[in-house]
């Protein structure tokens, strides 16, 4: 059956300058920690005002799907046009972000979408859900940008290994074996029904002895990157995402851990009466880095052992 639905637009007005909103649309990276459903977003510049963006999304029944869009940025016209590529899950969907400056500090954001190329009810539902989620996420990020600058803890820890990306990747990919390899991980129940898409429940202990149980989804790009999003969070956080990145060098490999954690202000007393956001930031930087550096050192040791062998 042919879908004859006319292009649909949805709009919202936010307290933010149009340039701020445009920058948020242009750079999709924050989607993975600000959107409840986006696991990972990757942008590739193609020269001039052209780029392509791929977004991986998790559904309510825990299935991961992706879409890739070719985009054209019109900074002067405050517009970003897009079309899903033929390889995308939503191939043929097209539309545009259109911004209107209501005042110097207020902007109307409209997200238009034409889904007439879709025939599957499931794809139509995905497209509409994604449109609403993207619009609400950008609007929230724009309106709450000052508060988020305090609540978002985003950091990277790199470590050099004199070995190969394949060997360094292996240790961090085999998360189901972490309980036998890492002292701070006591349990993992992992499934990988779709190659490269992992779900696991994990029990860990922080460096100060606090226990945590979390549920995560990971997308694995062999020997180059593993991205993750916690979908069952510790009480202190509204979001926790990140990656393991493997960058070859002439001398070996740089393995990098990234954490992005969003503090839940109402949960600050968990760390003690009178705990401030600054206290929580320091706490998270310490405990998250301590555990992930343990993983990085194990990856380094294994890669270097294999290189020597």
């Amino acid at each position: 059956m042919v879908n004859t639905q006319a292009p649909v637009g949805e709009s919202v007005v936010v307290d933010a300058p149009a340039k701020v909103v445009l920058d948020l649309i242009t750079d999709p990276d924050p989607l993975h920690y600000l959107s409840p459903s986006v696991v990972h977003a990757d942008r590739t510049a193609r020269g001039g005002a052209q780029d392509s963006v791929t977004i991986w999304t998790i559904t309510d029944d825990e299935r991961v799907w992706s879409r890739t869009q070719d985009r054209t940025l019109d900074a002067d016209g405050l517009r970003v046009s897009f079309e899903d590529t033929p390889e995308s899950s939503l191939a043929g969907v097209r539309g545009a972000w259109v911004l209107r400056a209501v005042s110097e500090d207020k902007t109307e954001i409209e997200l238009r979408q034409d889904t007439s190329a879709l025939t599957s009810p499931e794809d139509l539902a995905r497209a509409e859900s994604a449109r609403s989620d993207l619009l609400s996420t950008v609007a929230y990020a724009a309106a709450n940008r000052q508060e988020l600058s305090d609540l978002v803890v985003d950091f990277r820890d790199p470590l050099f290994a004199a070995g190969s990306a394949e060997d360094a990747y292996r240790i961090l990919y085999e998360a189901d074996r972490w309980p036998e390899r890492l002292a701070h991980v006591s349990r993992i129940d992992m499934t990988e029904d779709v190659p490269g898409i992992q779900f696991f429940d994990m029990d860990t202990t922080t460096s100060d002895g606090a226990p945590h149980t979390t549920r995560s989804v990971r997308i694995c790009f062999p020997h180059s990157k593993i991205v993750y999003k916690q979908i069952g969070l510790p009480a202190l956080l509204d979001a926790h995402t990140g990656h393991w990145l493997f960058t070859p060098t002439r001398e070996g490999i740089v393995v990098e851990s990234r954490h992005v954690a969003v503090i839940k202000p109402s949960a600050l007393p968990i760390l003690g009466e009178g705990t401030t956001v600054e206290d929580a930031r320091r706490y998270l930087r310490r405990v998250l880095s301590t555990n992930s550096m343990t993983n990085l050192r194990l990856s380094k040791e294994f890669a270097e052992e294999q290189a020597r062998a």
Side-chain angles (χ1 to χ4, degrees), residues 166-225:
E166 290 81 358
D167 291 327
Y169 173 91
R170 176 180 167 186
I171 292 295
L172 297 174
Y173 169 75
E174 294 177 344
D176 55 335
R177 298 190 61 184
W178 285 356
E180 64 188 72
R181 292 169 168 169
L182 297 165
H184 67 276
V185 180
S186 58
R187 178 187 69 95
I188 279 190
D189 293 329
M190 190 180 85
T191 60
E192 189 174 349
D193 296 333
V194 176
I197 307 294
Q198 299 176 340
F199 288 87
F200 56 72
D201 297 291
M202 178 169 66
D203 293 337
T204 60
T205 304
T206 61
S207 55
D208 57 359
H212 292 282
T213 297
T214 57
R215 181 165 177 78
S216 300
V217 56
R218 302 205 308 177
I219 305 173
C220 305
F221 305 92
H223 313 143
S224 61
K225 180 184 272 191

Side-chain angles (χ1 to χ4, degrees), residues 159-170 223 246-255 298-309:
L159 186 65
F160 172 77
S164 71
E166 290 81 358
D167 291 327
Y169 173 91
R170 176 180 167 186
H223 313 143
F246 308 84
T247 304
T249 71
R250 294 175 66 180
E251 301 78 23
I253 182 83
V254 174
V255 189
L298 180 64
S299 176
K300 170 185 171 72
E301 290 168 5
F302 181 78
E304 292 182 344
E305 285 175 1
Q306 297 302 306
R308 287 193 295 269

